Amino acid sequence: MEITKSAAGTLNQQDVSKYVLTNQQGTQVAVLTWGATLQEFSVVEDGKRHSLIVNKPDLAGYDHNPYYLCQALGRVAGRIAGAQFELDGQTVHLEANEEPNASHGGPHGFTFVNWDATTNQTADTASVVLTHTSTPADDRYPGNLETTITYTLTEENRLDITFDAQSDAATLFNPTIHTYFNVTDDQHDLDQQWVKLSGDKRLVLDQAKIPTGEMVPTAGTGYDFSQPRTVKDGLDQLHQTGQVEYDDAFVVEPSKDTPIATIGDTTGHREVAIYSDRNGLVVFTANPTDDARADARDYNALAMEAQTLPDAIHHADFGDVVLPANQPVEHTISYQYTRK
């Protein structure tokens, strides 16, 4: 295993570092301290490097990137209805950065932080460990929250991401990495990328993408990924109902042993299995690298955001995102690459 550190550049008068983890197969993970960003997850196949995620080549592309491209989201991923919630008998008012709602931790959330970083290495793993303390003055959430995000690459081509946190007051915690995948040969589009999900329900969302509270079966619809299905095939069925994209929350079965989702290419070259200890997966189609194609809804990237179901603080059956005072919590997401 090998770990290298280099200067990535400067953002907002802060020096940003880049860490690259490499295993003996040549698999590489690059992490930027800005936004705890996963800039690279690539593998070597027949002597040629192949990227599994969609990225930007330079640091400037990650400065207030509107897609939150492969960046950390927190304290709370997704939208919070009305930019407010009740906690311990008090109403907490957040900044409505997506009027009238709060989104992805707010304008001073994890994405907009230059994280401190250290590294760890064992015989068969390499890790970059990112730390940051969020204050109520930063993001309006209660409590001073100490968060550690650890990216660990193994010799088995598995990328484990852990989120450890503790707060001195009760608060909310539901982070993720907004990872955009494209595992096809040329990454031009999603026509040859298939998806399989472990669940059979999705959340009903209103026009502002806020959950209504209803869960509906996906069977027989454009949201049905109970068996491997290309994104294009799903979109074609959605188009028949007037929908133009995926920006949806799926109910999945949390597991460290069974994937909540698997992505592959129809040529059969490679797969990535996604594991999570939480019950939600937000799936979003986008084209973060070409504005003209994005406007035409010609997608080349599929965001897979593993988390507790969004807006859970307002829905008792969505999962618990309350972090009690002085109680540590850990969440995990893993990506397992397999050469087929």
Side-chain angles (χ1 to χ4, degrees):
M1 304 295 291
E2 179 182 340
I3 303 175
T4 62
K5 176 186 177 182
S6 61
T10 303
L11 277 185
N12 299 296
Q13 300 179 325
Q14 300 176 69
D15 293 331
V16 178
S17 297
K18 176 178 179 176
Y19 291 83
V20 179
L21 316 176
T22 309
N23 69 12
Q24 293 185 51
Q25 288 78 47
T27 299
Q28 286 191 343
V29 168
V31 176
L32 302 174
T33 54
W34 185 265
T37 301
L38 179 61
Q39 187 185 26
E40 179 184 358
F41 183 22
S42 67
V43 295
V44 176
E45 298 175 349
D46 301 324
K48 181 180 179 182
R49 183 160 299 282
H50 185 90
S51 182
L52 304 173
I53 64 172
V54 175
N55 57 18
K56 295 276 191 177
D58 53 57
L59 178 62
Y62 294 92
D63 183 13
H64 289 82
N65 184 286
Y67 295 95
Y68 295 83
L69 186 66
C70 299
Q71 297 182 303
L73 303 182
R75 302 182 188 193
V76 176
R79 298 167 179 88
I80 294 181
Q84 66 180 46
F85 57 91
E86 301 292 321
L87 185 63
D88 292 342
Q90 301 292 319
T91 301
V92 177
H93 295 276
L94 303 173
E95 191 164 344
N97 60 321
E98 191 178 273
E99 286 281 358
N101 308 305
S103 178
H104 289 340
H108 304 99
F110 289 178
T111 308
F112 309 105
V113 168
N114 193 28
W115 294 64
D116 296 324
T118 58
T119 60
N120 285 328
Q121 193 166 351
T122 69
D124 56 2
T125 68
S127 302
V128 56
V129 183
L130 303 150
T131 57
H132 175 68
T133 299
S134 308
T135 73
D138 293 332
D139 57 14
R140 301 191 186 178
Y141 285 88
N144 297 293
L145 179 76
E146 298 178 359
T147 303
T148 300
I149 301 176
T150 305
Y151 288 92
T152 300
L153 176 66
T154 75
E155 287 292 7
E156 287 73 41
N157 299 319
R158 183 181 177 105
L159 174 58
D160 292 319
I161 307 168
T162 61
F163 304 85
D164 292 280
Q166 186 166 321
S167 173
D168 60 5
T171 191
L172 305 189
F173 190 64
N174 185 22
T176 192
I177 305 298
H178 205 299
T179 309
Y180 286 81
F181 287 95
N182 188 326
V183 302
T184 65
D185 287 340
D186 61 8
Q187 290 197 324
H188 179 267
D189 53 48
L190 297 173
D191 290 2
Q192 305 304 317
Q193 179 164 287
W194 59 260
V195 178
K196 182 180 185 297
L197 302 182
S198 68
D200 59 4
K201 293 186 174 113
R202 67 176 178 92
L203 300 186
V204 176
L205 307 178
D206 67 16
Q207 290 296 314
K209 298 294 183 179
I210 298 294
T212 66
E214 185 181 4
M215 300 181 189
V216 295
T218 57
T221 72
Y223 302 98
D224 186 355
F225 290 96
S226 57
Q227 298 298 321
R229 179 186 199 179
T230 64
V231 177
K232 181 182 185 303
D233 185 58
L235 283 171
D236 286 348
Q237 189 172 358
L238 283 192
H239 292 162
Q240 297 172 20
T241 63
Q243 304 299 311
V244 295
E245 65 181 357
Y246 288 105
D247 189 0
D248 293 277
F250 292 83
V251 183
V252 293
E253 297 293 332
S255 176
K256 291 185 177 181
D257 304 312
T258 302
I260 64 165
T262 307
I263 310 163
D265 70 311
T266 57
T267 58
H269 290 166
R270 63 197 67 85
E271 293 180 7
V272 174
I274 301 173
Y275 300 83
S276 170
D277 64 346
R278 288 172 290 168
N279 68 347
L281 181 69
V282 175
V283 177
F284 174 54
T285 43
N287 192 320
T289 58
D290 187 321
D291 290 343
R293 288 181 62 196
D295 290 342
R297 302 192 181 278
D298 181 10
Y299 305 121
N300 73 336
L302 189 71
M304 306 288 273
E305 308 158 52
Q307 59 183 88
T308 301
L309 290 168
D311 203 29
I313 190 60
H314 292 131
H315 302 277
D317 59 343
F318 279 17
D320 187 6
V321 295
V322 174
L323 176 60
N326 304 309
Q327 179 175 309
V329 66
E330 180 175 279
H331 291 304
T332 60
I333 302 171
S334 297
Y335 306 138
Q336 175 67 62
Y337 160 78
T338 303
R339 175 78 184 271
K340 303 308 288 183

